[in-house]
């Protein structure tokens, strides 16, 4: 087996400077996301979501971003899932995008709020029918006896709701309202470029370079 300690890669695809980034981190994120999509980075919309429970235990998983606007970064989930319980106890989170083909990362930290019900309703209605039924069928993060349980519950709710299931009350959206956003560009010799935005009390952004 190859020694993991011996695995190395030289990063040399690009650079990042304070003078090159946009004054607002949301605009800079949109720019980088557009470049990731244009480069056909696999699942460029996938992000790591890290939360901390009431017991202080951190937990991380991959979820999909479903929107970004002036408020922040939007995703959807079951409010009664592991992440939902964490966010109920401690409404703060960290996000990480890793676009390895572009040798880039984006790190986001901030507080979390639930989306208005009307926004959750609208997104739920736009999903494929199987996904809408799945939101009812899966008691996310809870122990089940086997896959047959999921299949049976999906059949039950399909029969109950037909083609127009309503949004489950336990399912909806969150927005991560950023307090810091860091853009990381890999560079040779591990002298990576790191540009961080920090939200100020007046909601302006301070931009700084960090040592790698």
């Amino acid at each position: 087996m190859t020694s993991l300690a011996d695995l190395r890669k030289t990063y040399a695809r690009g650079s990042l400077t304070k003078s090159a980034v946009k004054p607002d981190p949301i605009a800079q994120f949109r720019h980088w996301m557009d470049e990731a999509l244009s480069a056909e980075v696999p699942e460029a919309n996938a992000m790591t979501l890290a939360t901390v429970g009431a017991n202080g235990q951190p937990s991380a998983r991959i979820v999909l971003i479903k929107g970004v606007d002036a408020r922040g970064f939007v995703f959807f989930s079951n409010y009664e899932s592991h992440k939902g319980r964490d966010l109920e106890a401690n409404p703060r989170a960290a996000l990480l995008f890793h676009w390895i083909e572009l040798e880039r990362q984006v790190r986001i930290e901030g507080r979390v709020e639930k989306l208005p019900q009307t926004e959750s309703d609208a997104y739920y209605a736009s999903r494929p029918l199987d996904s809408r039924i799945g939101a009812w069928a899966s008691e996310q993060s809870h122990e089940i006896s086997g896959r047959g349980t999921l299949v049976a519950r999906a059949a039950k709710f399909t029969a109950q709701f037909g083609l127009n299931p309503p949004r489950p009350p336990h399912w909806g959206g969150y927005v991560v309202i950023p307090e810091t956003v860091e853009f990381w560009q890999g560079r040779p010799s591990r002298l990576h470029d790191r540009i961080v935005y920090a939200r100020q009390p007046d909601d302006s952004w301070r931009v700084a370079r960090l040592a790698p």
Side-chain angles (χ1 to χ4, degrees):
M1 177 180 175
T2 301
S3 170
L4 296 179
D6 292 334
L7 295 177
R8 292 179 176 84
K9 178 182 177 182
T10 297
Y11 300 108
R13 288 184 60 94
S15 62
L16 189 65
T17 64
K18 283 176 62 177
S19 61
V21 298
K22 300 181 184 301
D24 181 90
I26 298 296
Q28 181 64 31
F29 176 83
R30 288 181 180 276
H31 175 63
W32 269 23
M33 175 61 84
D34 286 344
E35 291 191 337
L37 294 172
S38 294
E40 299 184 344
V41 172
E43 297 207 69
N45 59 331
M47 62 187 184
T48 300
L49 165 67
T51 56
V52 177
N55 62 355
Q57 175 63 46
S59 182
R61 73 289 287 162
I62 302 295
V63 300
L64 300 180
I65 188 173
K66 291 299 181 179
V68 58
D69 57 30
R71 295 171 301 180
F73 302 82
V74 172
F75 66 96
F76 292 84
S77 184
N78 186 313
Y79 293 145
E80 297 174 354
S81 66
H82 187 156
K83 70 179 85 65
R85 296 194 298 271
D86 280 1
L87 291 171
E88 184 68 26
N90 181 18
R92 302 188 65 79
L95 306 175
L96 172 64
F97 292 85
H98 185 202
W99 298 316
I100 191 168
E101 291 81 2
L102 300 179
E103 300 173 358
R104 288 175 173 175
Q105 297 181 57
V106 183
R107 298 176 57 239
I108 299 139
E109 297 176 359
R111 71 183 191 277
V112 182
E113 295 180 357
K114 287 181 178 178
L115 286 182
Q117 292 189 21
T118 53
E119 291 186 48
S120 291
D121 288 342
Y123 175 70
Y124 180 82
S126 75
R127 304 179 84 208
L129 177 60
D130 288 349
S131 296
R132 284 179 280 155
I133 291 294
W136 282 97
S138 175
E139 296 177 292
Q140 193 176 116
S141 302
H142 291 74
E143 185 175 333
I144 59 175
S145 60
R147 186 170 182 81
T149 300
L150 287 174
V151 174
R153 286 177 59 85
K156 168 190 169 183
F157 288 112
T158 296
Q160 180 176 343
F161 296 126
L163 298 178
N164 295 295
R167 178 177 63 88
H170 56 263
W171 189 97
Y174 294 96
V175 56
V176 180
I177 302 168
E179 294 172 357
T180 62
V181 184
E182 181 190 318
F183 295 86
W184 180 100
Q185 178 72 60
R187 296 296 302 277
S189 304
R190 298 299 187 262
L191 299 178
H192 310 304
D193 291 331
R194 296 175 63 190
I195 303 297
V196 64
Y197 296 74
R199 189 187 292 272
Q200 302 301 291
D202 63 356
D203 279 338
S204 65
W205 293 96
R206 180 176 180 271
V207 184
R209 173 179 284 274
L210 301 180

